[in-house]
Amino acid sequence: ALLPSTEWRSKKVFDQEASRIEEIRFPLLTPPLVLIRKEDHWVSPNSPRQKVAQEQINSLARKISRLKAQSLAEFVKASEVGLDPPQAELIVKFKGDSTEFRVLLGKQKFQNLYYAEVKGVADWKDEIFTINQESAEKFRITAAQILEKGE
């Protein structure tokens, strides 16, 4: 029997150093949030007085930079699996690359798998795949988790 095409392809969606991520935007939060890496820490230019939860964002950046698909989700439509519109969305820019990568999170597929899609990566064009629960939970970050309460 022929193996499905997923067996031989790399499951790496991104394979970068987390430190190369220089911008993460959260367009679905109210209000939308933008984080920019300044030297070694994250700042929120649209709310400069608020402190960003550095560890949370570094941890998120590590998850994005090494994002792996668990499996390809063939024969599903984005609208059927909560990707159009998405349940969560991150827009990411890497150093030295003007591409804006959109990471979309969909519904839960099984207990520990979630649907996802990435726009801007040629190898993953129009591919819906699943990611593990740990990544999904990181991507569903809330404004309260991103910004620390000011004194």
Side-chain angles (χ1 to χ4, degrees):
L2 285 174
L3 287 175
S5 57
T6 54
E7 295 307 313
W8 51 266
R9 74 177 280 183
S10 166
K11 295 208 165 50
K12 290 176 181 168
V13 180
F14 292 119
D15 190 16
Q16 300 264 10
E17 289 301 319
S19 59
R20 294 199 56 236
I21 295 180
E22 60 181 11
E23 185 179 318
I24 306 176
R25 302 210 306 270
F26 306 85
L28 300 183
L29 294 181
T30 315
L33 263 175
V34 177
L35 296 181
I36 298 203
R37 190 192 292 276
K38 283 252 161 84
E39 283 100 44
D40 60 348
H41 66 281
W42 294 96
V43 295
S44 173
N46 43 8
S47 42
R49 284 196 305 280
Q50 290 215 264
K51 282 174 55 179
V52 175
Q54 302 297 324
E55 228 357 87
Q56 284 272 16
I57 302 307
N58 285 331
S59 170
L60 173 65
R62 285 193 293 274
K63 273 280 169 257
I64 297 168
S65 65
R66 298 269 186 244
L67 181 60
K68 272 175 124 144
Q70 299 297 313
S71 62
L72 272 183
E74 294 169 305
F75 317 118
V76 296
K77 288 195 179 83
S79 56
E80 296 168 347
V81 295
L83 287 164
D84 186 17
Q87 321 245 313
E89 177 177 0
L90 307 171
I91 299 174
V92 182
K93 286 175 84 170
F94 290 93
K95 251 188 207 83
D97 187 343
S98 60
T99 312
E100 294 196 339
F101 298 104
R102 292 176 60 212
V103 179
L104 308 177
L105 181 67
K107 291 180 184 157
Q108 196 170 22
K109 180 180 182 184
F110 299 124
Q111 193 175 1
N112 52 358
L113 288 180
Y114 286 77
Y115 289 106
E117 190 176 4
V118 169
K119 310 270 190 193
V121 180
D123 285 354
W124 292 90
K125 188 171 165 39
D126 302 324
E127 297 268 25
I128 294 173
F129 52 91
T130 59
I131 60 173
N132 64 25
Q133 183 168 355
E134 197 187 341
S135 297
E137 283 171 0
K138 286 262 189 290
F139 296 167
R140 289 222 301 260
I141 194 165
T142 62
Q145 292 170 305
I146 296 168
L147 298 174
E148 294 177 345
K149 294 270 177 285
E151 277 74 73

